[in-house]
Amino acid sequence: DQQVKQNSPSLSVQEGRISILNCDYTNSMFDYFLWYKKYPAEGPTFLISISSIKDKNEDGRFTVFLNKSAKHLSLHIVPSQPGDSAVYFCAALQSNSGYALNFGKGTSLLVTP
Amino acid sequence: GAVVSQHPSRVICKSGTSVKIECRSLDFQATTMFWYRQFPKQSLMLMATSNEGSKATYEQGVEKDKFLINHASLTLSTLTVTSAHPEDSSFYICSATTSGRDNEQFFGPGTRLTVL
């Protein structure tokens, strides 16, 4: 049963514009959320994370927003660059339960020049 | 820092043979290592969690006799796919955490297994 859902399998954005990737979760016990970027045949690369005690975390062009009441988080990339084109995975964990990550199915982002 | 390597990166084997995949933390001691499997265009599915010196904890539906995991040291975990079959063909990825940074998982580059 998928506890982390990314309902948009793909997203296309023009260079310079904002990319917004969405993620929903069902398990209210999750208390830490992460975004990973992944290229085919490679391991995921950590991008940014957020603890459930916060509602926003920013790192350069990347900002993650968390809405706990809606069990929703989003990753904003601004401005988007062609090098951002990749698959983005949302992941969640319950820190008192072994730290295993629960991944969404990913959203493939294409940033066009 | 926090580099995780996997070996081999690709392996092709015949049906019925066993394949061993190594996961190493190169510059830190990995108290916990995780093994994931990814099918094409699918999510990464956790297979098992292993702590150094103890038996791995397998997720529901993962056969422990089929996927043998050994975490013999703080820098090495191995996954052995025994009597591999074509349906075992997949992308296997390991990750590792270290004490004090439990929320951070450092991923290896993955291993592409193809069983003919």
Side-chain angles (χ1 to χ4, degrees):
Chain A
D1 186 33
Q2 198 83 20
Q3 298 186 73
V4 177
K5 299 178 183 178
Q6 292 175 258
N7 292 320
S8 298
S10 63
L11 175 67
S12 183
V13 171
Q14 253 188 333
E15 181 178 9
R17 301 276 185 123
I18 184 171
S19 296
I20 300 176
L21 296 95
N22 293 302
C23 177
D24 298 289
Y25 60 97
T26 57
N27 188 342
S28 58
M29 300 300 290
F30 289 146
D31 57 1
Y32 200 78
F33 305 89
L34 309 92
W35 284 94
Y36 287 88
K37 180 179 180 180
K38 186 180 181 300
Y39 295 108
E42 291 185 14
T45 304
F46 171 74
L47 271 178
I48 193 169
S49 62
I50 188 167
S51 164
S52 61
I53 61 173
K54 294 186 174 181
D55 54 20
K56 178 182 174 181
N57 188 25
E58 191 172 350
D59 183 2
R61 295 187 297 115
F62 302 93
T63 303
V64 56
F65 295 92
L66 175 63
N67 182 334
K68 275 199 306 184
S69 60
K71 296 193 182 69
H72 176 85
L73 64 154
S74 60
L75 173 68
H76 292 213
I77 306 173
V78 55
S80 302
Q81 300 172 354
D84 296 329
S85 299
V87 177
Y88 289 78
F89 285 95
C90 171
L93 67 83
Q94 186 179 333
S95 56
N96 64 355
S97 183
Y99 298 97
L101 287 170
N102 294 269
F103 282 91
K105 288 190 174 182
T107 296
S108 179
L109 173 65
L110 176 65
V111 180
T112 57
Chain B
V3 178
V4 175
S5 71
Q6 274 183 248
H7 177 80
S9 57
R10 286 178 177 269
V11 58
I12 300 172
C13 68
K14 291 183 179 179
S15 187
T17 59
S18 293
V19 175
K20 180 186 281 189
I21 303 170
E22 291 186 350
C23 176
R24 291 182 186 273
S25 58
L26 298 185
D27 50 4
F28 66 101
Q29 293 188 325
T31 46
T32 304
M33 284 185 165
F34 303 88
W35 286 95
Y36 295 85
R37 182 176 181 179
Q38 187 190 24
F39 293 102
K41 298 186 179 180
Q42 294 292 319
S43 179
L44 285 80
M45 300 302 297
L46 178 67
M47 297 174 67
T49 303
S50 75
N51 294 294
E52 185 264 340
S54 59
K55 288 185 179 180
T57 303
Y58 289 82
E59 295 299 300
Q60 196 172 7
V62 178
E63 299 174 59
K64 55 183 163 184
D65 295 330
K66 171 81 174 171
F67 299 98
L68 300 178
I69 292 172
N70 184 283
H71 192 164
S73 78
L74 282 171
T75 59
L76 173 65
S77 177
T78 60
L79 166 68
T80 302
V81 183
T82 61
S83 187
H85 288 98
E87 58 266 29
D88 298 324
S89 298
S90 191
F91 191 58
Y92 293 87
I93 308 174
C94 72
S95 70
T97 62
T98 191
S99 180
R101 298 174 73 179
D102 302 285
N103 280 353
E104 297 179 73
Q105 284 191 29
F106 305 100
F107 283 85
T111 297
R112 168 72 61 192
L113 171 63
T114 303
V115 185
L116 303 175

